[in-house]
Amino acid sequence: MVEAEISEVEKLFDLNVWSIIRTTRHFVPLLRNSKTGALLVNNTSGNSIMPMPFQGPYNASKAAAAMVTQNLPFGIKVIDLKTGAVKSHFHENSTTRVNPVLPENSLYTPAKEKMESIFRGEININLMPAEEYAKRVVNDLSKDNPPLIIWRGDSATKAWLASFAPLGFTDGLLKKISGLDVVEQILKAKVGKKTD
């Protein structure tokens, strides 16, 4: 997060937060006048509650989107769709991941190779096929009384369960999943050499 380009963070908040507020403001009059019951669904992320390493700006924007969702006007059913891992073009579409290269003065330079592979999305996680995800979400939203928070996508249930665990446990687990544990070991070894 400390090395993220502010302009890129602003783009994420524009896309994931301000767009929800702007769009909702335009449609609230129609939604409030619905005779059949209005339903508004915002696609946030499991990362809105999970401190996924190296995705701080994204996580923060999705957490803000989730909070906006919970504070939208009464009289409209608003659902927070917390999406987990889905096979998509997420990494290919990210401008910072097309050719991920650490800056020369990065805190993570000692673990450069591992870091850049993480940025490219080379993390060992399962991805739910997009078609399966879409079918499940449509089924959820087609219910007479869908829940206010829907968890869909691979690992979404795990994220929900982890939200009840102590932060230290979750943090350690996420380090292992993301490869940050290896980065941490490399950085500690480098610091150890400097103090010898």
Side-chain angles (χ1 to χ4, degrees), residues 159-189:
W160 174 75
L161 288 170
S163 71
F164 297 101
L167 185 58
F169 171 81
T170 305
D171 191 48
L173 182 64
L174 290 173
K175 282 181 180 179
K176 286 181 183 165
I177 291 170
S178 67
L180 184 57
D181 59 335
V182 174
V183 173
E184 193 172 54
Q185 289 168 9
I186 294 169
L187 293 175
K188 281 181 181 176

Side-chain angles (χ1 to χ4, degrees), residues 54-116:
F54 311 116
Q55 294 185 20
Y58 176 79
N59 299 347
S61 71
K62 288 298 189 174
M67 190 52 65
V68 166
T69 299
Q70 292 176 26
N71 284 280
L72 286 172
F74 58 88
I76 301 167
K77 182 149 191 175
V78 184
I79 295 175
D80 179 351
L81 174 58
K82 291 197 183 293
T83 299
V86 177
K87 189 169 176 52
S88 69
H89 296 288
F90 179 83
H91 292 286
E92 293 90 335
N93 290 339
S94 174
T95 56
T96 58
R97 295 175 192 258
V98 173
N99 186 20
V101 177
L102 282 177
E104 283 183 32
N105 60 348
S106 172
L107 299 169
Y108 304 104
T109 299
K112 181 176 173 35
E113 188 177 315
K114 181 64 179 171
M115 287 296 301
E116 290 176 355

Side-chain angles (χ1 to χ4, degrees), residues 44-52 55 58-60 62-63 83 151 159:
T44 67
S45 170
N47 284 11
S48 67
I49 59 141
M50 299 291 288
M52 201 63 184
Q55 294 185 20
Y58 176 79
N59 299 347
K62 288 298 189 174
T83 299
W151 296 80

Side-chain angles (χ1 to χ4, degrees), residues 134-172:
K135 285 177 186 172
R136 289 185 183 198
V137 169
V138 167
N139 184 54
D140 291 329
L141 297 175
S142 298
K143 294 176 180 172
D144 289 336
N145 191 24
L148 295 177
I149 300 177
I150 295 173
W151 296 80
R152 283 289 171 238
D154 207 284
S155 299
T157 302
K158 291 176 188 170
W160 174 75
L161 288 170
S163 71
F164 297 101
L167 185 58
F169 171 81
T170 305
D171 191 48

